[in-house]
Amino acid sequence: MSSLIRCPPERILRPLMKSYLAGGAVKNTHGSSSHGFANLIPNRVSSKRFYRAAVCTEFGKPLEIEKRESEEELSSGEVRVQVSASGINFGDLLMMLGQYQVKVPPPFTPGSEFAGTVLEVAEDVKDLKPGTRVAGRMLGAFSEEIIGTSDGMWEIPDSMSFEEAASFVFSYGTAFMGLKKRANLQAGETVLVTAAAGATGLAAVDLASHVFESSTVIGACGSEEKCELIKQRGAHHAINYKKEEIKSSVMNISPHGADVIFEAVGGKIFKECLRSIAWEGRLLVVGFASGEIPKIPANHLLVKNASAVGLLWGSYNELERKTFDWSIQECMRFYKEGKIKPYYSAAFPLDRINDAFQFIKDRKSTGKVVITMR
């Protein structure tokens, strides 16, 4: 479980949780699959309205599907969204276990990434309107509807399915920020991606192959099935690090080593990756899925004129908001141009959300797992 706690893409949830605890702008709202879109837009009606949501009633227990009463009025700056799909992130599991850095006391609705259609906006919201298809990040996403602010939502193209959109923001935002801003990946360079069959790893493979036009993209993962998947998604070579040694495999593929290493595992894998780095290479520290935080031998960096750089994507939301938005907007542009395509391995309806989490715990998932609302 310690490996999950150290997963940086999920740490962006911390400020969202603080907002939640402080009574911030994130709230769940009405949403019944039996109502039509047009009937849901008005918010000043006398009859009560309800929505379904997955609720954590006790840490460590299965989520319960509950029907809750909707709030009638939107506050300043708020947007009401009919959720169609939500992506599962490891931080969601930690919240449900009460093991996240900031605890939300039960009962609460977990979930942090969603896609859906804007139903209603407050009078002072100008950048979104009813009918706009959006992807968003906020707490309470495992719900048929949600209320949040427009700065946590991004318009998606009609060609992008809601399932794809719910698999997009966290993974591609992280991968693009790492490869472009932190590692300064250039066309023609060799890239090594660890945990390559995960959501962020697959996004990194997709971007490196189809946007940055790397001459060689090497993916490393833990099974033959995953190796086949990452090659289908754009990797030129795949290393099964359960059977193969990373350094010798990389050198056989690229004798000078890897110019950029997108490293999300830590432990022994990190050390092998560092030994595989090229002259003036950049090792991007993305996470520690193994649960072991490695120590960096500085002499390796010295003799290779190499760099080790960290990446915590969510911190840009707090410290460089324009850069944070840029990472998402650029990836949206690449999608519209047909260069990239997010991947999810399974979709479960809301009433089977506990099965979805078990699917992930059993290590059956690749890419994202999504929850569909209707």
Side-chain angles (χ1 to χ4, degrees), residues 37 81-88 113-119 131-136 154-169 332 335 341-342 344 346-347 368-374:
F37 176 83
V81 176
Q82 176 180 286
V83 177
S84 293
S86 299
I88 295 179
E113 185 172 19
F114 73 92
T117 305
V118 174
L119 293 175
T132 302
R133 303 170 79 249
V134 295
W154 296 268
E155 185 173 354
I156 62 174
D158 291 339
S159 58
M160 179 181 282
S161 72
F162 289 122
E163 291 84 358
E164 289 178 329
S167 310
F168 190 79
V169 171
M332 286 291 182
Y335 180 92
K341 188 175 180 64
Y344 62 97
K368 264 293 203 296
V369 173
V370 300
I371 303 301
T372 56
M373 303 299 165
R374 45 182 54 81

mmCIF file of all heavy atoms in Angstrom, residues 37 81-88 113-119 131-136 154-169 332 335 341-342 344 346-347 368-374:
data_model
loop_
_atom_site.group_PDB
_atom_site.id
_atom_site.type_symbol
_atom_site.label_atom_id
_atom_site.label_comp_id
_atom_site.label_asym_id
_atom_site.label_seq_id
_atom_site.Cartn_x
_atom_site.Cartn_y
_atom_site.Cartn_z
ATOM 1 N N PHE A 37 -32.204 15.306 -20.715
ATOM 2 C CA PHE A 37 -31.311 16.450 -20.555
ATOM 3 C C PHE A 37 -32.084 17.748 -20.368
ATOM 4 O O PHE A 37 -31.798 18.539 -19.488
ATOM 5 C CB PHE A 37 -30.393 16.533 -21.779
ATOM 6 C CG PHE A 37 -29.497 17.719 -21.797
ATOM 7 C CD1 PHE A 37 -28.310 17.708 -21.101
ATOM 8 C CD2 PHE A 37 -29.836 18.863 -22.503
ATOM 9 C CE1 PHE A 37 -27.477 18.801 -21.104
ATOM 10 C CE2 PHE A 37 -29.003 19.954 -22.530
ATOM 11 C CZ PHE A 37 -27.828 19.925 -21.823
ATOM 12 N N VAL A 81 -22.713 19.868 -13.665
ATOM 13 C CA VAL A 81 -22.365 18.937 -14.739
ATOM 14 C C VAL A 81 -23.078 17.615 -14.550
ATOM 15 O O VAL A 81 -23.116 17.058 -13.442
ATOM 16 C CB VAL A 81 -20.843 18.700 -14.793
ATOM 17 C CG1 VAL A 81 -20.487 17.650 -15.844
ATOM 18 C CG2 VAL A 81 -20.098 19.999 -15.074
ATOM 19 N N GLN A 82 -23.657 17.120 -15.630
ATOM 20 C CA GLN A 82 -24.189 15.760 -15.670
ATOM 21 C C GLN A 82 -23.014 14.834 -16.023
ATOM 22 O O GLN A 82 -22.476 14.873 -17.124
ATOM 23 C CB GLN A 82 -25.282 15.639 -16.726
ATOM 24 C CG GLN A 82 -25.824 14.228 -16.895
ATOM 25 C CD GLN A 82 -26.904 14.181 -17.954
ATOM 26 O OE1 GLN A 82 -28.031 14.635 -17.724
ATOM 27 N NE2 GLN A 82 -26.579 13.669 -19.131
ATOM 28 N N VAL A 83 -22.614 14.020 -15.078
ATOM 29 C CA VAL A 83 -21.444 13.158 -15.257
ATOM 30 C C VAL A 83 -21.825 11.930 -16.076
ATOM 31 O O VAL A 83 -22.836 11.282 -15.815
ATOM 32 C CB VAL A 83 -20.866 12.735 -13.898
ATOM 33 C CG1 VAL A 83 -19.689 11.783 -14.085
ATOM 34 C CG2 VAL A 83 -20.446 13.956 -13.086
ATOM 35 N N SER A 84 -21.008 11.627 -17.068
ATOM 36 C CA SER A 84 -21.208 10.423 -17.872
ATOM 37 C C SER A 84 -20.204 9.332 -17.552
ATOM 38 O O SER A 84 -20.510 8.148 -17.641
ATOM 39 C CB SER A 84 -21.129 10.762 -19.366
ATOM 40 O OG SER A 84 -22.221 11.578 -19.746
ATOM 41 N N ALA A 85 -18.985 9.719 -17.170
ATOM 42 C CA ALA A 85 -17.952 8.734 -16.834
ATOM 43 C C ALA A 85 -16.968 9.356 -15.860
ATOM 44 O O ALA A 85 -16.719 10.569 -15.900
ATOM 45 C CB ALA A 85 -17.228 8.262 -18.089
ATOM 46 N N SER A 86 -16.401 8.512 -14.996
ATOM 47 C CA SER A 86 -15.388 8.954 -14.040
ATOM 48 C C SER A 86 -14.214 7.993 -14.088
ATOM 49 O O SER A 86 -14.407 6.770 -14.147
ATOM 50 C CB SER A 86 -15.960 8.999 -12.613
ATOM 51 O OG SER A 86 -17.037 9.904 -12.530
ATOM 52 N N GLY A 87 -13.019 8.528 -14.058
ATOM 53 C CA GLY A 87 -11.826 7.693 -14.044
ATOM 54 C C GLY A 87 -11.399 7.371 -12.626
ATOM 55 O O GLY A 87 -11.504 8.210 -11.728
ATOM 56 N N ILE A 88 -10.918 6.156 -12.422
ATOM 57 C CA ILE A 88 -10.425 5.745 -11.108
ATOM 58 C C ILE A 88 -8.927 6.000 -11.032
ATOM 59 O O ILE A 88 -8.169 5.616 -11.922
ATOM 60 C CB ILE A 88 -10.715 4.258 -10.830
ATOM 61 C CG1 ILE A 88 -12.219 4.017 -10.751
ATOM 62 C CG2 ILE A 88 -10.037 3.812 -9.545
ATOM 63 C CD1 ILE A 88 -12.590 2.567 -10.492
ATOM 64 N N GLU A 113 -11.793 12.516 -10.993
ATOM 65 C CA GLU A 113 -11.651 12.792 -12.424
ATOM 66 C C GLU A 113 -12.933 12.368 -13.138
ATOM 67 O O GLU A 113 -13.398 11.250 -12.940
ATOM 68 C CB GLU A 113 -10.453 12.018 -12.977
ATOM 69 C CG GLU A 113 -10.120 12.302 -14.417
ATOM 70 C CD GLU A 113 -8.812 11.644 -14.837
ATOM 71 O OE1 GLU A 113 -8.355 10.697 -14.161
ATOM 72 O OE2 GLU A 113 -8.247 12.079 -15.851
ATOM 73 N N PHE A 114 -13.498 13.244 -13.953
ATOM 74 C CA PHE A 114 -14.795 12.949 -14.551
ATOM 75 C C PHE A 114 -14.912 13.570 -15.935
ATOM 76 O O PHE A 114 -14.118 14.416 -16.347
ATOM 77 C CB PHE A 114 -15.931 13.487 -13.661
ATOM 78 C CG PHE A 114 -16.055 14.984 -13.695
ATOM 79 C CD1 PHE A 114 -16.901 15.610 -14.590
ATOM 80 C CD2 PHE A 114 -15.297 15.768 -12.825
ATOM 81 C CE1 PHE A 114 -17.002 16.995 -14.639
ATOM 82 C CE2 PHE A 114 -15.390 17.153 -12.867
ATOM 83 C CZ PHE A 114 -16.239 17.761 -13.771
ATOM 84 N N ALA A 115 -15.956 13.156 -16.647
ATOM 85 C CA ALA A 115 -16.314 13.768 -17.925
ATOM 86 C C ALA A 115 -17.829 13.779 -18.031
ATOM 87 O O ALA A 115 -18.505 12.847 -17.579
ATOM 88 C CB ALA A 115 -15.709 12.999 -19.091
ATOM 89 N N GLY A 116 -18.367 14.819 -18.632
ATOM 90 C CA GLY A 116 -19.818 14.917 -18.752
ATOM 91 C C GLY A 116 -20.238 16.161 -19.500
ATOM 92 O O GLY A 116 -19.452 16.774 -20.236
ATOM 93 N N THR A 117 -21.482 16.559 -19.291
ATOM 94 C CA THR A 117 -22.093 17.671 -20.024
ATOM 95 C C THR A 117 -22.560 18.744 -19.054
ATOM 96 O O THR A 117 -23.225 18.442 -18.051
ATOM 97 C CB THR A 117 -23.294 17.169 -20.843
ATOM 98 O OG1 THR A 117 -22.874 16.093 -21.689
ATOM 99 C CG2 THR A 117 -23.877 18.293 -21.690
ATOM 100 N N VAL A 118 -22.221 19.997 -19.349
ATOM 101 C CA VAL A 118 -22.667 21.112 -18.519
ATOM 102 C C VAL A 118 -24.183 21.246 -18.620
ATOM 103 O O VAL A 118 -24.745 21.318 -19.715
ATOM 104 C CB VAL A 118 -21.989 22.428 -18.949
ATOM 105 C CG1 VAL A 118 -22.579 23.612 -18.174
ATOM 106 C CG2 VAL A 118 -20.484 22.338 -18.736
ATOM 107 N N LEU A 119 -24.830 21.273 -17.457
ATOM 108 C CA LEU A 119 -26.271 21.473 -17.413
ATOM 109 C C LEU A 119 -26.649 22.914 -17.129
ATOM 110 O O LEU A 119 -27.644 23.425 -17.646
ATOM 111 C CB LEU A 119 -26.881 20.581 -16.317
ATOM 112 C CG LEU A 119 -26.831 19.068 -16.540
ATOM 113 C CD1 LEU A 119 -27.366 18.336 -15.316
ATOM 114 C CD2 LEU A 119 -27.639 18.687 -17.768
ATOM 115 N N GLY A 131 -24.728 22.470 -22.217
ATOM 116 C CA GLY A 131 -24.505 21.683 -23.416
ATOM 117 C C GLY A 131 -23.047 21.442 -23.743
ATOM 118 O O GLY A 131 -22.724 20.581 -24.568
ATOM 119 N N THR A 132 -22.130 22.197 -23.111
ATOM 120 C CA THR A 132 -20.701 22.012 -23.362
ATOM 121 C C THR A 132 -20.243 20.688 -22.763
ATOM 122 O O THR A 132 -20.553 20.371 -21.617
ATOM 123 C CB THR A 132 -19.889 23.163 -22.741
ATOM 124 O OG1 THR A 132 -20.336 24.404 -23.273
ATOM 125 C CG2 THR A 132 -18.411 22.995 -23.042
ATOM 126 N N ARG A 133 -19.499 19.919 -23.545
ATOM 127 C CA ARG A 133 -18.919 18.656 -23.067
ATOM 128 C C ARG A 133 -17.579 18.965 -22.411
ATOM 129 O O ARG A 133 -16.733 19.656 -22.997
ATOM 130 C CB ARG A 133 -18.739 17.669 -24.221
ATOM 131 C CG ARG A 133 -20.028 17.374 -24.963
ATOM 132 C CD ARG A 133 -19.783 16.588 -26.241
ATOM 133 N NE ARG A 133 -19.574 15.168 -25.960
ATOM 134 C CZ ARG A 133 -18.426 14.530 -26.105
ATOM 135 N NH1 ARG A 133 -17.345 15.190 -26.519
ATOM 136 N NH2 ARG A 133 -18.333 13.242 -25.839
ATOM 137 N N VAL A 134 -17.364 18.457 -21.196
ATOM 138 C CA VAL A 134 -16.172 18.819 -20.436
ATOM 139 C C VAL A 134 -15.534 17.587 -19.787
ATOM 140 O O VAL A 134 -16.187 16.569 -19.546
ATOM 141 C CB VAL A 134 -16.494 19.848 -19.328
ATOM 142 C CG1 VAL A 134 -16.947 21.170 -19.922
ATOM 143 C CG2 VAL A 134 -17.529 19.295 -18.350
ATOM 144 N N ALA A 135 -14.248 17.716 -19.513
ATOM 145 C CA ALA A 135 -13.536 16.830 -18.599
ATOM 146 C C ALA A 135 -13.150 17.676 -17.403
ATOM 147 O O ALA A 135 -12.906 18.883 -17.539
ATOM 148 C CB ALA A 135 -12.300 16.236 -19.266
ATOM 149 N N GLY A 136 -13.092 17.064 -16.232
ATOM 150 C CA GLY A 136 -12.801 17.853 -15.046
ATOM 151 C C GLY A 136 -12.099 17.058 -13.969
ATOM 152 O O GLY A 136 -12.021 15.828 -14.023
ATOM 153 N N TRP A 154 -12.402 21.431 -18.492
ATOM 154 C CA TRP A 154 -11.875 21.760 -19.809
ATOM 155 C C TRP A 154 -12.804 21.195 -20.876
ATOM 156 O O TRP A 154 -13.213 20.029 -20.805
ATOM 157 C CB TRP A 154 -10.468 21.182 -19.976
ATOM 158 C CG TRP A 154 -9.492 21.784 -19.018
ATOM 159 C CD1 TRP A 154 -8.698 22.870 -19.219
ATOM 160 C CD2 TRP A 154 -9.230 21.335 -17.674
ATOM 161 N NE1 TRP A 154 -7.954 23.125 -18.100
ATOM 162 C CE2 TRP A 154 -8.266 22.202 -17.136
ATOM 163 C CE3 TRP A 154 -9.721 20.291 -16.884
ATOM 164 C CZ2 TRP A 154 -7.769 22.050 -15.847
ATOM 165 C CZ3 TRP A 154 -9.243 20.141 -15.592
ATOM 166 C CH2 TRP A 154 -8.274 21.025 -15.085
ATOM 167 N N GLU A 155 -13.107 22.013 -21.868
ATOM 168 C CA GLU A 155 -13.985 21.557 -22.951
ATOM 169 C C GLU A 155 -13.311 20.444 -23.748
ATOM 170 O O GLU A 155 -12.111 20.498 -24.024
ATOM 171 C CB GLU A 155 -14.328 22.722 -23.860
ATOM 172 C CG GLU A 155 -15.336 22.373 -24.953
ATOM 173 C CD GLU A 155 -15.791 23.571 -25.744
ATOM 174 O OE1 GLU A 155 -15.408 24.710 -25.384
ATOM 175 O OE2 GLU A 155 -16.538 23.373 -26.729
ATOM 176 N N ILE A 156 -14.087 19.433 -24.108
ATOM 177 C CA ILE A 156 -13.565 18.316 -24.891
ATOM 178 C C ILE A 156 -14.238 18.302 -26.262
ATOM 179 O O ILE A 156 -15.387 18.748 -26.407
ATOM 180 C CB ILE A 156 -13.766 16.965 -24.183
ATOM 181 C CG1 ILE A 156 -15.252 16.670 -23.981
ATOM 182 C CG2 ILE A 156 -13.020 16.934 -22.862
ATOM 183 C CD1 ILE A 156 -15.542 15.275 -23.417
ATOM 184 N N PRO A 157 -13.560 17.781 -27.283
ATOM 185 C CA PRO A 157 -14.161 17.737 -28.623
ATOM 186 C C PRO A 157 -15.244 16.675 -28.718
ATOM 187 O O PRO A 157 -15.258 15.709 -27.947
ATOM 188 C CB PRO A 157 -12.975 17.394 -29.521
ATOM 189 C CG PRO A 157 -12.021 16.668 -28.638
ATOM 190 C CD PRO A 157 -12.170 17.294 -27.282
ATOM 191 N N ASP A 158 -16.147 16.827 -29.670
ATOM 192 C CA ASP A 158 -17.226 15.860 -29.866
ATOM 193 C C ASP A 158 -16.695 14.477 -30.220
ATOM 194 O O ASP A 158 -17.345 13.469 -29.963
ATOM 195 C CB ASP A 158 -18.175 16.342 -30.963
ATOM 196 C CG ASP A 158 -18.980 17.562 -30.547
ATOM 197 O OD1 ASP A 158 -19.107 17.804 -29.330
ATOM 198 O OD2 ASP A 158 -19.471 18.281 -31.446
ATOM 199 N N SER A 159 -15.515 14.432 -30.815
ATOM 200 C CA SER A 159 -14.939 13.148 -31.225
ATOM 201 C C SER A 159 -14.405 12.335 -30.055
ATOM 202 O O SER A 159 -14.137 11.134 -30.196
ATOM 203 C CB SER A 159 -13.802 13.385 -32.221
ATOM 204 O OG SER A 159 -12.803 14.221 -31.653
ATOM 205 N N MET A 160 -14.245 12.951 -28.891
ATOM 206 C CA MET A 160 -13.723 12.259 -27.713
ATOM 207 C C MET A 160 -14.872 11.678 -26.900
ATOM 208 O O MET A 160 -15.780 12.402 -26.484
ATOM 209 C CB MET A 160 -12.892 13.212 -26.842
ATOM 210 C CG MET A 160 -12.327 12.574 -25.568
ATOM 211 S SD MET A 160 -11.365 13.738 -24.545
ATOM 212 C CE MET A 160 -9.814 13.796 -25.450
ATOM 213 N N SER A 161 -14.873 10.372 -26.666
ATOM 214 C CA SER A 161 -15.910 9.761 -25.847
ATOM 215 C C SER A 161 -15.735 10.189 -24.395
ATOM 216 O O SER A 161 -14.645 10.595 -23.965
ATOM 217 C CB SER A 161 -15.850 8.235 -25.960
ATOM 218 O OG SER A 161 -14.722 7.724 -25.268
ATOM 219 N N PHE A 162 -16.803 10.084 -23.629
ATOM 220 C CA PHE A 162 -16.706 10.435 -22.211
ATOM 221 C C PHE A 162 -15.765 9.486 -21.474
ATOM 222 O O PHE A 162 -15.073 9.895 -20.535
ATOM 223 C CB PHE A 162 -18.092 10.429 -21.570
ATOM 224 C CG PHE A 162 -18.970 11.576 -22.001
ATOM 225 C CD1 PHE A 162 -20.194 11.342 -22.603
ATOM 226 C CD2 PHE A 162 -18.562 12.897 -21.807
ATOM 227 C CE1 PHE A 162 -21.006 12.398 -23.004
ATOM 228 C CE2 PHE A 162 -19.364 13.958 -22.204
ATOM 229 C CZ PHE A 162 -20.588 13.709 -22.808
ATOM 230 N N GLU A 163 -15.733 8.220 -21.885
ATOM 231 C CA GLU A 163 -14.814 7.274 -21.254
ATOM 232 C C GLU A 163 -13.369 7.674 -21.510
ATOM 233 O O GLU A 163 -12.517 7.606 -20.619
ATOM 234 C CB GLU A 163 -15.077 5.853 -21.773
ATOM 235 C CG GLU A 163 -16.384 5.244 -21.319
ATOM 236 C CD GLU A 163 -17.575 5.661 -22.183
ATOM 237 O OE1 GLU A 163 -17.385 6.465 -23.131
ATOM 238 O OE2 GLU A 163 -18.696 5.181 -21.923
ATOM 239 N N GLU A 164 -13.078 8.095 -22.737
ATOM 240 C CA GLU A 164 -11.730 8.575 -23.051
ATOM 241 C C GLU A 164 -11.406 9.833 -22.255
ATOM 242 O O GLU A 164 -10.298 9.973 -21.717
ATOM 243 C CB GLU A 164 -11.612 8.866 -24.545
ATOM 244 C CG GLU A 164 -11.596 7.646 -25.435
ATOM 245 C CD GLU A 164 -11.523 8.012 -26.907
ATOM 246 O OE1 GLU A 164 -12.047 9.080 -27.294
ATOM 247 O OE2 GLU A 164 -10.941 7.216 -27.663
ATOM 248 N N ALA A 165 -12.366 10.745 -22.180
ATOM 249 C CA ALA A 165 -12.136 12.003 -21.470
ATOM 250 C C ALA A 165 -11.870 11.778 -19.993
ATOM 251 O O ALA A 165 -11.057 12.484 -19.384
ATOM 252 C CB ALA A 165 -13.339 12.929 -21.655
ATOM 253 N N ALA A 166 -12.545 10.781 -19.398
ATOM 254 C CA ALA A 166 -12.329 10.466 -17.987
ATOM 255 C C ALA A 166 -10.997 9.765 -17.763
ATOM 256 O O ALA A 166 -10.591 9.555 -16.621
ATOM 257 C CB ALA A 166 -13.474 9.592 -17.471
ATOM 258 N N SER A 167 -10.309 9.405 -18.850
ATOM 259 C CA SER A 167 -9.000 8.754 -18.777
ATOM 260 C C SER A 167 -7.880 9.700 -19.174
ATOM 261 O O SER A 167 -6.729 9.268 -19.300
ATOM 262 C CB SER A 167 -8.975 7.538 -19.718
ATOM 263 O OG SER A 167 -10.072 6.693 -19.526
ATOM 264 N N PHE A 168 -8.170 10.960 -19.373
ATOM 265 C CA PHE A 168 -7.280 11.850 -20.114
ATOM 266 C C PHE A 168 -6.503 12.844 -19.258
ATOM 267 O O PHE A 168 -5.269 12.917 -19.332
ATOM 268 C CB PHE A 168 -8.108 12.608 -21.155
ATOM 269 C CG PHE A 168 -7.304 13.378 -22.152
ATOM 270 C CD1 PHE A 168 -6.711 12.741 -23.230
ATOM 271 C CD2 PHE A 168 -7.140 14.744 -22.019
ATOM 272 C CE1 PHE A 168 -5.968 13.444 -24.166
ATOM 273 C CE2 PHE A 168 -6.402 15.461 -22.938
ATOM 274 C CZ PHE A 168 -5.816 14.811 -24.016
ATOM 275 N N VAL A 169 -7.189 13.634 -18.449
ATOM 276 C CA VAL A 169 -6.592 14.828 -17.849
ATOM 277 C C VAL A 169 -5.399 14.491 -16.969
ATOM 278 O O VAL A 169 -4.293 15.031 -17.149
ATOM 279 C CB VAL A 169 -7.656 15.620 -17.065
ATOM 280 C CG1 VAL A 169 -6.999 16.737 -16.255
ATOM 281 C CG2 VAL A 169 -8.687 16.209 -18.012
ATOM 282 N N MET A 332 -5.124 18.341 -25.434
ATOM 283 C CA MET A 332 -6.406 18.389 -26.142
ATOM 284 C C MET A 332 -6.184 18.697 -27.618
ATOM 285 O O MET A 332 -6.841 18.118 -28.499
ATOM 286 C CB MET A 332 -7.316 19.446 -25.513
ATOM 287 C CG MET A 332 -7.908 19.068 -24.181
ATOM 288 S SD MET A 332 -9.123 17.738 -24.332
ATOM 289 C CE MET A 332 -9.649 17.617 -22.611
ATOM 290 N N TYR A 335 -4.988 15.651 -29.400
ATOM 291 C CA TYR A 335 -6.090 14.711 -29.628
ATOM 292 C C TYR A 335 -6.910 15.145 -30.838
ATOM 293 O O TYR A 335 -7.250 14.316 -31.696
ATOM 294 C CB TYR A 335 -6.978 14.609 -28.388
ATOM 295 C CG TYR A 335 -8.136 13.656 -28.572
ATOM 296 C CD1 TYR A 335 -8.021 12.319 -28.222
ATOM 297 C CD2 TYR A 335 -9.344 14.080 -29.132
ATOM 298 C CE1 TYR A 335 -9.058 11.428 -28.415
ATOM 299 C CE2 TYR A 335 -10.383 13.201 -29.338
ATOM 300 C CZ TYR A 335 -10.242 11.879 -28.968
ATOM 301 O OH TYR A 335 -11.282 10.999 -29.178
ATOM 302 N N LYS A 341 -4.394 9.161 -28.407
ATOM 303 C CA LYS A 341 -5.696 8.576 -28.065
ATOM 304 C C LYS A 341 -5.594 7.903 -26.694
ATOM 305 O O LYS A 341 -4.823 6.949 -26.536
ATOM 306 C CB LYS A 341 -6.134 7.565 -29.115
ATOM 307 C CG LYS A 341 -7.573 7.057 -28.926
ATOM 308 C CD LYS A 341 -7.967 6.160 -30.085
ATOM 309 C CE LYS A 341 -9.394 5.639 -29.932
ATOM 310 N NZ LYS A 341 -10.392 6.734 -29.973
ATOM 311 N N PRO A 342 -6.329 8.380 -25.695
ATOM 312 C CA PRO A 342 -6.267 7.769 -24.361
ATOM 313 C C PRO A 342 -6.809 6.350 -24.361
ATOM 314 O O PRO A 342 -7.662 5.987 -25.185
ATOM 315 C CB PRO A 342 -7.119 8.702 -23.499
ATOM 316 C CG PRO A 342 -8.005 9.414 -24.466
ATOM 317 C CD PRO A 342 -7.240 9.536 -25.743
ATOM 318 N N TYR A 344 -8.368 3.076 -22.009
ATOM 319 C CA TYR A 344 -8.913 2.514 -20.766
ATOM 320 C C TYR A 344 -9.171 1.031 -21.011
ATOM 321 O O TYR A 344 -9.596 0.626 -22.084
ATOM 322 C CB TYR A 344 -10.187 3.240 -20.323
ATOM 323 C CG TYR A 344 -11.350 3.169 -21.285
ATOM 324 C CD1 TYR A 344 -12.362 2.228 -21.117
ATOM 325 C CD2 TYR A 344 -11.445 4.044 -22.369
ATOM 326 C CE1 TYR A 344 -13.432 2.158 -21.998
ATOM 327 C CE2 TYR A 344 -12.500 3.975 -23.254
ATOM 328 C CZ TYR A 344 -13.490 3.039 -23.066
ATOM 329 O OH TYR A 344 -14.551 2.964 -23.938
ATOM 330 N N ALA A 346 -11.128 -1.077 -19.014
ATOM 331 C CA ALA A 346 -12.429 -1.601 -18.596
ATOM 332 C C ALA A 346 -13.330 -0.464 -18.156
ATOM 333 O O ALA A 346 -12.860 0.574 -17.678
ATOM 334 C CB ALA A 346 -12.263 -2.602 -17.452
ATOM 335 N N ALA A 347 -14.639 -0.661 -18.341
ATOM 336 C CA ALA A 347 -15.658 0.290 -17.879
ATOM 337 C C ALA A 347 -16.700 -0.470 -17.078
ATOM 338 O O ALA A 347 -17.199 -1.505 -17.526
ATOM 339 C CB ALA A 347 -16.294 1.014 -19.055
ATOM 340 N N LYS A 368 -6.405 3.127 -17.821
ATOM 341 C CA LYS A 368 -7.408 3.560 -16.863
ATOM 342 C C LYS A 368 -8.542 2.555 -16.748
ATOM 343 O O LYS A 368 -8.831 1.796 -17.681
ATOM 344 C CB LYS A 368 -8.008 4.900 -17.316
ATOM 345 C CG LYS A 368 -7.405 6.161 -16.710
ATOM 346 C CD LYS A 368 -7.680 6.271 -15.237
ATOM 347 C CE LYS A 368 -7.602 7.677 -14.718
ATOM 348 N NZ LYS A 368 -6.402 8.415 -14.727
ATOM 349 N N VAL A 369 -9.231 2.576 -15.605
ATOM 350 C CA VAL A 369 -10.525 1.907 -15.422
ATOM 351 C C VAL A 369 -11.531 3.012 -15.149
ATOM 352 O O VAL A 369 -11.270 3.912 -14.341
ATOM 353 C CB VAL A 369 -10.489 0.910 -14.255
ATOM 354 C CG1 VAL A 369 -11.884 0.353 -13.980
ATOM 355 C CG2 VAL A 369 -9.509 -0.233 -14.545
ATOM 356 N N VAL A 370 -12.667 2.981 -15.840
ATOM 357 C CA VAL A 370 -13.648 4.049 -15.722
ATOM 358 C C VAL A 370 -14.986 3.537 -15.209
ATOM 359 O O VAL A 370 -15.324 2.358 -15.362
ATOM 360 C CB VAL A 370 -13.867 4.790 -17.062
ATOM 361 C CG1 VAL A 370 -12.557 5.410 -17.548
ATOM 362 C CG2 VAL A 370 -14.421 3.864 -18.118
ATOM 363 N N ILE A 371 -15.726 4.446 -14.594
ATOM 364 C CA ILE A 371 -17.086 4.184 -14.110
ATOM 365 C C ILE A 371 -18.044 4.969 -14.985
ATOM 366 O O ILE A 371 -17.871 6.169 -15.196
ATOM 367 C CB ILE A 371 -17.249 4.642 -12.637
ATOM 368 C CG1 ILE A 371 -16.213 3.950 -11.744
ATOM 369 C CG2 ILE A 371 -18.677 4.335 -12.148
ATOM 370 C CD1 ILE A 371 -16.279 2.443 -11.751
ATOM 371 N N THR A 372 -19.048 4.281 -15.522
ATOM 372 C CA THR A 372 -20.047 4.933 -16.362
ATOM 373 C C THR A 372 -21.328 5.172 -15.561
ATOM 374 O O THR A 372 -21.733 4.319 -14.767
ATOM 375 C CB THR A 372 -20.355 4.097 -17.609
ATOM 376 O OG1 THR A 372 -20.759 2.780 -17.212
ATOM 377 C CG2 THR A 372 -19.122 3.988 -18.493
ATOM 378 N N MET A 373 -21.935 6.312 -15.786
ATOM 379 C CA MET A 373 -23.102 6.711 -14.999
ATOM 380 C C MET A 373 -24.426 6.412 -15.684
ATOM 381 O O MET A 373 -25.450 6.292 -15.049
ATOM 382 C CB MET A 373 -23.035 8.209 -14.698
ATOM 383 C CG MET A 373 -21.772 8.618 -13.973
ATOM 384 S SD MET A 373 -21.599 7.808 -12.361
ATOM 385 C CE MET A 373 -19.877 8.123 -12.016
ATOM 386 N N ARG A 374 -24.409 6.292 -17.030
ATOM 387 C CA ARG A 374 -25.670 6.081 -17.744
ATOM 388 C C ARG A 374 -25.358 5.503 -19.121
ATOM 389 O O ARG A 374 -24.255 5.554 -19.587
ATOM 390 C CB ARG A 374 -26.444 7.389 -17.892
ATOM 391 C CG ARG A 374 -25.604 8.578 -18.341
ATOM 392 C CD ARG A 374 -26.414 9.844 -18.428
ATOM 393 N NE ARG A 374 -27.120 10.159 -17.220
ATOM 394 C CZ ARG A 374 -26.573 10.750 -16.164
ATOM 395 N NH1 ARG A 374 -25.305 11.050 -16.158
ATOM 396 N NH2 ARG A 374 -27.273 11.035 -15.119
#
